[in-house]
Amino acid sequence: GDKKIKLWDRAGNCIKNLEGHTHSVFTLIELSDGHLASGSLDETIKLWDRAGNCIKNLEGHTGSVYTLIELADGRLASGAGDRTIKRWEFPRLH
């Protein structure tokens, strides 16, 4: 509910806060290239680099984003409260 994604080390210490969503974050996945993707009540998907910087904002849902999955072909799929599933294409991140 604090709009943040917290990264923790194995000892249980918060080592980084990822901030950028304007409402609660509902889903977070690690992509095969090590980047993170998050979905939120703010109806957006954010892509984060390994340093914790938001590098891409995906917009198109008209409801909260509840689920994310990386497809076998490298695309991202999302499910949202607008009763849609969307497939996203974007350049592979390095």
Side-chain angles (χ1 to χ4, degrees):
D2 65 2
K3 308 171 198 168
K4 298 176 187 173
I5 298 164
K6 295 182 179 289
L7 301 180
W8 304 85
D9 66 15
R10 293 181 188 262
N13 302 305
C14 181
I15 56 172
K16 186 167 263 310
N17 286 306
L18 308 184
E19 298 183 45
H21 282 291
T22 59
H23 290 287
S24 299
V25 177
F26 288 139
T27 185
L28 176 71
I29 64 168
E30 183 179 14
L31 302 173
S32 59
D33 63 5
H35 290 80
L36 298 175
S38 58
S40 169
L41 178 71
D42 64 15
E43 303 174 356
T44 69
I45 298 162
K46 294 194 180 298
L47 301 178
W48 308 85
D49 67 14
R50 291 176 193 93
N53 301 304
C54 181
I55 54 174
K56 187 98 173 136
N57 192 50
L58 304 175
E59 297 179 356
H61 280 295
T62 59
S64 302
V65 179
Y66 292 115
T67 189
L68 296 168
I69 188 169
E70 184 178 16
L71 302 173
D73 64 5
R75 290 184 293 173
L76 188 66
S78 59
D82 59 8
R83 299 180 181 175
T84 66
I85 297 170
K86 295 190 181 294
R87 287 183 296 179
W88 304 88
E89 294 188 38
F90 48 87
R92 290 309 289 174
L93 309 168
H94 301 290

Short mmCIF file of all heavy atoms in Angstrom, two decimals, residues 13-66:
data_model
loop_
_atom_site.label_atom_id
_atom_site.label_comp_id
_atom_site.label_asym_id
_atom_site.label_seq_id
_atom_site.Cartn_x
_atom_site.Cartn_y
_atom_site.Cartn_z
N ASN A 13 17.40 -7.43 5.48
CA ASN A 13 17.57 -5.98 5.46
C ASN A 13 17.06 -5.41 4.14
O ASN A 13 17.38 -5.94 3.07
CB ASN A 13 19.05 -5.60 5.61
CG ASN A 13 19.63 -6.15 6.89
OD1 ASN A 13 19.12 -5.89 7.98
ND2 ASN A 13 20.70 -6.92 6.77
N CYS A 14 16.28 -4.35 4.21
CA CYS A 14 15.83 -3.67 3.00
C CYS A 14 17.01 -2.93 2.39
O CYS A 14 17.61 -2.07 3.05
CB CYS A 14 14.68 -2.71 3.30
SG CYS A 14 14.06 -1.87 1.83
N ILE A 15 17.37 -3.27 1.17
CA ILE A 15 18.54 -2.67 0.55
C ILE A 15 18.18 -1.62 -0.51
O ILE A 15 19.02 -0.83 -0.91
CB ILE A 15 19.46 -3.74 -0.06
CG1 ILE A 15 18.70 -4.61 -1.07
CG2 ILE A 15 20.08 -4.59 1.03
CD1 ILE A 15 19.57 -5.56 -1.85
N LYS A 16 16.91 -1.61 -0.95
CA LYS A 16 16.51 -0.62 -1.95
C LYS A 16 15.00 -0.52 -2.01
O LYS A 16 14.30 -1.50 -1.85
CB LYS A 16 17.04 -1.01 -3.33
CG LYS A 16 16.79 0.05 -4.38
CD LYS A 16 17.58 -0.20 -5.63
CE LYS A 16 18.85 0.51 -5.80
NZ LYS A 16 19.10 1.85 -5.67
N ASN A 17 14.52 0.70 -2.22
CA ASN A 17 13.12 0.97 -2.48
C ASN A 17 12.98 1.41 -3.93
O ASN A 17 13.69 2.33 -4.35
CB ASN A 17 12.58 2.09 -1.59
CG ASN A 17 12.37 1.65 -0.17
OD1 ASN A 17 11.69 0.67 0.10
ND2 ASN A 17 12.96 2.38 0.76
N LEU A 18 12.11 0.76 -4.68
CA LEU A 18 11.82 1.18 -6.04
C LEU A 18 10.53 1.98 -6.00
O LEU A 18 9.49 1.47 -5.59
CB LEU A 18 11.66 -0.03 -6.96
CG LEU A 18 12.78 -1.07 -6.95
CD1 LEU A 18 12.52 -2.15 -7.99
CD2 LEU A 18 14.13 -0.44 -7.15
N GLU A 19 10.63 3.22 -6.39
CA GLU A 19 9.48 4.12 -6.31
C GLU A 19 9.13 4.65 -7.68
O GLU A 19 10.01 4.94 -8.48
CB GLU A 19 9.79 5.27 -5.36
CG GLU A 19 10.07 4.78 -3.94
CD GLU A 19 10.30 5.91 -2.97
OE1 GLU A 19 9.54 6.88 -3.00
OE2 GLU A 19 11.26 5.80 -2.19
N GLY A 20 7.83 4.77 -7.95
CA GLY A 20 7.38 5.29 -9.23
C GLY A 20 5.89 5.07 -9.45
O GLY A 20 5.25 5.84 -10.14
N HIS A 21 5.35 3.99 -8.88
CA HIS A 21 3.92 3.77 -8.99
C HIS A 21 3.18 4.80 -8.13
O HIS A 21 3.68 5.24 -7.10
CB HIS A 21 3.54 2.35 -8.54
CG HIS A 21 3.84 1.30 -9.55
ND1 HIS A 21 3.16 1.20 -10.75
CD2 HIS A 21 4.76 0.31 -9.56
CE1 HIS A 21 3.63 0.18 -11.44
NE2 HIS A 21 4.62 -0.38 -10.74
N THR A 22 1.98 5.17 -8.58
CA THR A 22 1.20 6.17 -7.84
C THR A 22 0.13 5.54 -6.96
O THR A 22 -0.56 6.25 -6.24
CB THR A 22 0.54 7.17 -8.81
OG1 THR A 22 -0.31 6.46 -9.72
CG2 THR A 22 1.60 7.95 -9.58
N HIS A 23 0.01 4.20 -7.01
CA HIS A 23 -0.91 3.46 -6.15
C HIS A 23 -0.27 2.13 -5.78
O HIS A 23 0.84 1.82 -6.23
CB HIS A 23 -2.26 3.24 -6.84
CG HIS A 23 -3.07 4.48 -7.02
ND1 HIS A 23 -3.69 5.11 -5.97
CD2 HIS A 23 -3.34 5.22 -8.12
CE1 HIS A 23 -4.31 6.19 -6.42
NE2 HIS A 23 -4.11 6.28 -7.73
N SER A 24 -0.98 1.32 -5.02
CA SER A 24 -0.45 0.05 -4.53
C SER A 24 0.05 -0.85 -5.66
O SER A 24 -0.53 -0.91 -6.73
CB SER A 24 -1.56 -0.71 -3.78
OG SER A 24 -1.99 0.03 -2.68
N VAL A 25 1.14 -1.56 -5.37
CA VAL A 25 1.71 -2.52 -6.30
C VAL A 25 1.11 -3.89 -5.99
O VAL A 25 1.15 -4.35 -4.85
CB VAL A 25 3.25 -2.56 -6.17
CG1 VAL A 25 3.85 -3.61 -7.09
CG2 VAL A 25 3.85 -1.18 -6.44
N PHE A 26 0.55 -4.54 -7.04
CA PHE A 26 -0.09 -5.85 -6.85
C PHE A 26 0.74 -7.02 -7.31
O PHE A 26 0.56 -8.13 -6.84
CB PHE A 26 -1.43 -5.89 -7.58
CG PHE A 26 -2.52 -5.07 -6.96
CD1 PHE A 26 -3.36 -4.33 -7.75
CD2 PHE A 26 -2.70 -5.04 -5.60
CE1 PHE A 26 -4.38 -3.58 -7.19
CE2 PHE A 26 -3.71 -4.29 -5.02
CZ PHE A 26 -4.55 -3.56 -5.83
N THR A 27 1.63 -6.81 -8.27
CA THR A 27 2.36 -7.94 -8.83
C THR A 27 3.77 -7.52 -9.22
O THR A 27 4.01 -6.37 -9.59
CB THR A 27 1.62 -8.53 -10.05
OG1 THR A 27 2.29 -9.70 -10.51
CG2 THR A 27 1.48 -7.53 -11.18
N LEU A 28 4.69 -8.46 -9.08
CA LEU A 28 6.09 -8.22 -9.40
C LEU A 28 6.70 -9.52 -9.91
O LEU A 28 6.48 -10.57 -9.30
CB LEU A 28 6.84 -7.75 -8.15
CG LEU A 28 8.34 -7.53 -8.28
CD1 LEU A 28 8.63 -6.29 -9.12
CD2 LEU A 28 8.97 -7.40 -6.90
N ILE A 29 7.41 -9.44 -11.03
CA ILE A 29 8.12 -10.62 -11.53
C ILE A 29 9.53 -10.24 -11.94
O ILE A 29 9.80 -9.09 -12.27
CB ILE A 29 7.40 -11.31 -12.71
CG1 ILE A 29 7.35 -10.39 -13.93
CG2 ILE A 29 6.02 -11.79 -12.31
CD1 ILE A 29 6.92 -11.10 -15.21
N GLU A 30 10.42 -11.22 -11.90
CA GLU A 30 11.75 -11.05 -12.44
C GLU A 30 11.76 -11.62 -13.85
O GLU A 30 11.33 -12.76 -14.07
CB GLU A 30 12.80 -11.77 -11.59
CG GLU A 30 14.21 -11.55 -12.10
CD GLU A 30 15.27 -12.23 -11.24
OE1 GLU A 30 14.92 -13.08 -10.41
OE2 GLU A 30 16.44 -11.90 -11.43
N LEU A 31 12.23 -10.83 -14.81
CA LEU A 31 12.32 -11.28 -16.18
C LEU A 31 13.59 -12.09 -16.38
O LEU A 31 14.52 -12.02 -15.58
CB LEU A 31 12.30 -10.07 -17.13
CG LEU A 31 11.05 -9.19 -17.00
CD1 LEU A 31 11.20 -7.93 -17.84
CD2 LEU A 31 9.80 -9.97 -17.39
N SER A 32 13.64 -12.87 -17.44
CA SER A 32 14.78 -13.76 -17.67
C SER A 32 16.10 -13.00 -17.83
O SER A 32 17.16 -13.56 -17.60
CB SER A 32 14.53 -14.64 -18.89
OG SER A 32 14.31 -13.85 -20.04
N ASP A 33 16.04 -11.71 -18.19
CA ASP A 33 17.26 -10.93 -18.33
C ASP A 33 17.68 -10.23 -17.04
O ASP A 33 18.62 -9.45 -17.01
CB ASP A 33 17.14 -9.91 -19.46
CG ASP A 33 16.05 -8.87 -19.22
OD1 ASP A 33 15.44 -8.87 -18.13
OD2 ASP A 33 15.80 -8.06 -20.13
N GLY A 34 16.96 -10.50 -15.93
CA GLY A 34 17.30 -9.93 -14.63
C GLY A 34 16.58 -8.65 -14.29
O GLY A 34 16.66 -8.19 -13.16
N HIS A 35 15.86 -8.07 -15.23
CA HIS A 35 15.07 -6.88 -14.95
C HIS A 35 13.81 -7.28 -14.19
O HIS A 35 13.45 -8.47 -14.14
CB HIS A 35 14.70 -6.16 -16.24
CG HIS A 35 15.86 -5.52 -16.91
ND1 HIS A 35 16.77 -6.22 -17.68
CD2 HIS A 35 16.28 -4.24 -16.93
CE1 HIS A 35 17.68 -5.39 -18.14
NE2 HIS A 35 17.42 -4.18 -17.69
N LEU A 36 13.12 -6.31 -13.61
CA LEU A 36 11.86 -6.56 -12.91
C LEU A 36 10.73 -5.88 -13.67
O LEU A 36 10.92 -4.86 -14.33
CB LEU A 36 11.91 -5.98 -11.49
CG LEU A 36 12.96 -6.55 -10.55
CD1 LEU A 36 12.95 -5.78 -9.23
CD2 LEU A 36 12.73 -8.03 -10.31
N ALA A 37 9.53 -6.45 -13.54
CA ALA A 37 8.31 -5.84 -14.07
C ALA A 37 7.30 -5.82 -12.94
O ALA A 37 7.14 -6.81 -12.22
CB ALA A 37 7.77 -6.63 -15.27
N SER A 38 6.61 -4.69 -12.78
CA SER A 38 5.63 -4.55 -11.71
C SER A 38 4.32 -4.01 -12.26
O SER A 38 4.30 -3.23 -13.21
CB SER A 38 6.15 -3.61 -10.60
OG SER A 38 6.45 -2.33 -11.14
N GLY A 39 3.23 -4.45 -11.66
CA GLY A 39 1.90 -3.98 -12.04
C GLY A 39 1.20 -3.41 -10.83
O GLY A 39 1.42 -3.84 -9.70
N SER A 40 0.32 -2.42 -11.07
CA SER A 40 -0.22 -1.64 -9.97
C SER A 40 -1.68 -1.26 -10.15
O SER A 40 -2.23 -1.31 -11.24
CB SER A 40 0.64 -0.37 -9.83
OG SER A 40 0.08 0.58 -8.97
N LEU A 41 -2.24 -0.81 -9.04
CA LEU A 41 -3.58 -0.21 -9.02
C LEU A 41 -3.63 1.02 -9.91
O LEU A 41 -4.69 1.42 -10.37
CB LEU A 41 -3.94 0.15 -7.57
CG LEU A 41 -5.27 0.84 -7.31
CD1 LEU A 41 -6.42 -0.12 -7.52
CD2 LEU A 41 -5.31 1.38 -5.89
N ASP A 42 -2.48 1.63 -10.20
CA ASP A 42 -2.45 2.83 -11.05
C ASP A 42 -2.61 2.51 -12.54
O ASP A 42 -2.48 3.38 -13.39
CB ASP A 42 -1.19 3.66 -10.81
CG ASP A 42 0.11 2.96 -11.17
OD1 ASP A 42 0.10 1.93 -11.87
OD2 ASP A 42 1.17 3.47 -10.75
N GLU A 43 -2.89 1.23 -12.86
CA GLU A 43 -3.19 0.75 -14.21
C GLU A 43 -1.97 0.72 -15.13
O GLU A 43 -2.10 0.67 -16.35
CB GLU A 43 -4.32 1.58 -14.85
CG GLU A 43 -5.58 1.58 -14.02
CD GLU A 43 -6.67 2.51 -14.54
OE1 GLU A 43 -6.44 3.25 -15.54
OE2 GLU A 43 -7.76 2.51 -13.94
N THR A 44 -0.78 0.77 -14.55
CA THR A 44 0.45 0.74 -15.35
C THR A 44 1.31 -0.46 -15.00
O THR A 44 1.17 -1.08 -13.95
CB THR A 44 1.30 2.01 -15.14
OG1 THR A 44 1.84 2.01 -13.81
CG2 THR A 44 0.51 3.28 -15.40
N ILE A 45 2.22 -0.74 -15.92
CA ILE A 45 3.28 -1.73 -15.72
C ILE A 45 4.59 -0.96 -15.84
O ILE A 45 4.77 -0.16 -16.76
CB ILE A 45 3.22 -2.83 -16.79
CG1 ILE A 45 1.89 -3.59 -16.69
CG2 ILE A 45 4.41 -3.78 -16.65
CD1 ILE A 45 1.55 -4.38 -17.93
N LYS A 46 5.47 -1.18 -14.91
CA LYS A 46 6.77 -0.51 -14.95
C LYS A 46 7.86 -1.58 -15.10
O LYS A 46 7.79 -2.63 -14.46
CB LYS A 46 7.00 0.32 -13.69
CG LYS A 46 6.03 1.49 -13.60
CD LYS A 46 6.45 2.49 -12.57
CE LYS A 46 5.48 3.64 -12.49
NZ LYS A 46 5.35 4.43 -13.70
N LEU A 47 8.85 -1.27 -15.94
CA LEU A 47 10.02 -2.12 -16.08
C LEU A 47 11.18 -1.43 -15.38
O LEU A 47 11.40 -0.23 -15.56
CB LEU A 47 10.34 -2.33 -17.56
CG LEU A 47 9.21 -2.98 -18.38
CD1 LEU A 47 9.64 -3.09 -19.84
CD2 LEU A 47 8.82 -4.32 -17.82
N TRP A 48 11.92 -2.22 -14.60
CA TRP A 48 13.01 -1.70 -13.77
C TRP A 48 14.31 -2.36 -14.16
O TRP A 48 14.36 -3.58 -14.37
CB TRP A 48 12.71 -2.01 -12.29
CG TRP A 48 11.37 -1.57 -11.84
CD1 TRP A 48 10.19 -2.26 -11.95
CD2 TRP A 48 11.03 -0.33 -11.20
NE1 TRP A 48 9.15 -1.52 -11.43
CE2 TRP A 48 9.64 -0.34 -10.95
CE3 TRP A 48 11.78 0.77 -10.80
CZ2 TRP A 48 8.99 0.72 -10.32
CZ3 TRP A 48 11.15 1.83 -10.18
CH2 TRP A 48 9.76 1.80 -9.95
N ASP A 49 15.40 -1.58 -14.21
CA ASP A 49 16.71 -2.17 -14.48
C ASP A 49 17.30 -2.73 -13.19
O ASP A 49 16.71 -2.61 -12.11
CB ASP A 49 17.65 -1.18 -15.16
CG ASP A 49 18.05 0.01 -14.29
OD1 ASP A 49 17.85 0.00 -13.07
OD2 ASP A 49 18.58 0.98 -14.87
N ARG A 50 18.45 -3.35 -13.30
CA ARG A 50 19.07 -4.01 -12.14
C ARG A 50 19.47 -3.03 -11.05
O ARG A 50 19.63 -3.40 -9.89
CB ARG A 50 20.27 -4.82 -12.61
CG ARG A 50 19.88 -6.02 -13.44
CD ARG A 50 21.12 -6.75 -13.97
NE ARG A 50 20.76 -7.70 -14.98
CZ ARG A 50 20.75 -7.45 -16.28
NH1 ARG A 50 21.11 -6.26 -16.73
NH2 ARG A 50 20.41 -8.37 -17.15
N ALA A 51 19.65 -1.75 -11.41
CA ALA A 51 20.01 -0.73 -10.42
C ALA A 51 18.79 -0.16 -9.70
O ALA A 51 18.92 0.63 -8.78
CB ALA A 51 20.79 0.39 -11.09
N GLY A 52 17.58 -0.56 -10.15
CA GLY A 52 16.36 -0.07 -9.51
C GLY A 52 15.77 1.16 -10.15
O GLY A 52 14.92 1.83 -9.55
N ASN A 53 16.19 1.46 -11.37
CA ASN A 53 15.64 2.61 -12.10
C ASN A 53 14.48 2.18 -12.98
O ASN A 53 14.58 1.15 -13.67
CB ASN A 53 16.72 3.24 -12.99
CG ASN A 53 17.91 3.69 -12.18
OD1 ASN A 53 17.78 4.47 -11.25
ND2 ASN A 53 19.08 3.18 -12.53
N CYS A 54 13.42 2.95 -13.00
CA CYS A 54 12.30 2.69 -13.90
C CYS A 54 12.74 3.09 -15.30
O CYS A 54 13.07 4.24 -15.55
CB CYS A 54 11.05 3.46 -13.46
SG CYS A 54 9.64 3.14 -14.54
N ILE A 55 12.76 2.11 -16.21
CA ILE A 55 13.25 2.38 -17.56
C ILE A 55 12.16 2.36 -18.61
O ILE A 55 12.39 2.77 -19.74
CB ILE A 55 14.37 1.39 -17.93
CG1 ILE A 55 13.91 -0.05 -17.76
CG2 ILE A 55 15.61 1.65 -17.09
CD1 ILE A 55 14.90 -1.09 -18.23
N LYS A 56 10.97 1.88 -18.26
CA LYS A 56 9.87 1.85 -19.22
C LYS A 56 8.56 1.82 -18.45
O LYS A 56 8.43 1.14 -17.44
CB LYS A 56 9.98 0.60 -20.10
CG LYS A 56 9.01 0.54 -21.23
CD LYS A 56 9.68 1.02 -22.49
CE LYS A 56 8.75 0.80 -23.66
NZ LYS A 56 8.68 1.92 -24.56
N ASN A 57 7.59 2.58 -18.95
CA ASN A 57 6.25 2.62 -18.36
C ASN A 57 5.28 2.16 -19.44
O ASN A 57 5.21 2.76 -20.51
CB ASN A 57 5.93 4.05 -17.91
CG ASN A 57 4.70 4.11 -17.05
OD1 ASN A 57 4.58 3.35 -16.10
ND2 ASN A 57 3.80 5.00 -17.37
N LEU A 58 4.57 1.06 -19.18
CA LEU A 58 3.62 0.52 -20.14
C LEU A 58 2.21 0.90 -19.72
O LEU A 58 1.78 0.56 -18.61
CB LEU A 58 3.76 -1.01 -20.23
CG LEU A 58 5.16 -1.54 -20.57
CD1 LEU A 58 5.18 -3.05 -20.50
CD2 LEU A 58 5.61 -1.06 -21.94
N GLU A 59 1.51 1.59 -20.59
CA GLU A 59 0.15 2.03 -20.30
C GLU A 59 -0.80 1.46 -21.34
O GLU A 59 -0.43 1.29 -22.50
CB GLU A 59 0.08 3.55 -20.32
CG GLU A 59 0.93 4.19 -19.24
CD GLU A 59 0.88 5.71 -19.27
OE1 GLU A 59 0.24 6.28 -20.17
OE2 GLU A 59 1.50 6.32 -18.38
N GLY A 60 -2.03 1.18 -20.94
CA GLY A 60 -3.02 0.65 -21.86
C GLY A 60 -4.18 -0.02 -21.16
O GLY A 60 -5.27 -0.11 -21.72
N HIS A 61 -3.96 -0.49 -19.94
CA HIS A 61 -5.07 -1.05 -19.16
C HIS A 61 -5.92 0.09 -18.59
O HIS A 61 -5.42 1.18 -18.33
CB HIS A 61 -4.54 -1.92 -18.01
CG HIS A 61 -4.13 -3.29 -18.43
ND1 HIS A 61 -5.01 -4.23 -18.91
CD2 HIS A 61 -2.91 -3.89 -18.43
CE1 HIS A 61 -4.37 -5.35 -19.19
NE2 HIS A 61 -3.09 -5.17 -18.91
N THR A 62 -7.20 -0.21 -18.40
CA THR A 62 -8.10 0.75 -17.76
C THR A 62 -8.59 0.21 -16.43
O THR A 62 -9.63 0.62 -15.92
CB THR A 62 -9.30 1.10 -18.67
OG1 THR A 62 -10.01 -0.11 -18.98
CG2 THR A 62 -8.82 1.77 -19.95
N GLY A 63 -7.84 -0.71 -15.87
CA GLY A 63 -8.11 -1.29 -14.56
C GLY A 63 -6.79 -1.69 -13.92
O GLY A 63 -5.75 -1.76 -14.60
N SER A 64 -6.83 -1.98 -12.66
CA SER A 64 -5.62 -2.38 -11.91
C SER A 64 -4.97 -3.60 -12.55
O SER A 64 -5.65 -4.53 -12.97
CB SER A 64 -6.00 -2.70 -10.47
OG SER A 64 -6.61 -1.60 -9.86
N VAL A 65 -3.64 -3.58 -12.61
CA VAL A 65 -2.89 -4.71 -13.16
C VAL A 65 -2.62 -5.69 -12.02
O VAL A 65 -1.96 -5.37 -11.05
CB VAL A 65 -1.56 -4.24 -13.81
CG1 VAL A 65 -0.79 -5.43 -14.35
CG2 VAL A 65 -1.84 -3.22 -14.90
N TYR A 66 -3.18 -6.91 -12.16
CA TYR A 66 -3.10 -7.91 -11.10
C TYR A 66 -2.08 -9.01 -11.34
O TYR A 66 -1.62 -9.64 -10.40
CB TYR A 66 -4.46 -8.57 -10.89
CG TYR A 66 -5.51 -7.66 -10.33
CD1 TYR A 66 -6.63 -7.30 -11.07
CD2 TYR A 66 -5.38 -7.13 -9.05
CE1 TYR A 66 -7.60 -6.46 -10.55
CE2 TYR A 66 -6.35 -6.28 -8.52
CZ TYR A 66 -7.45 -5.96 -9.28
OH TYR A 66 -8.40 -5.12 -8.76
#
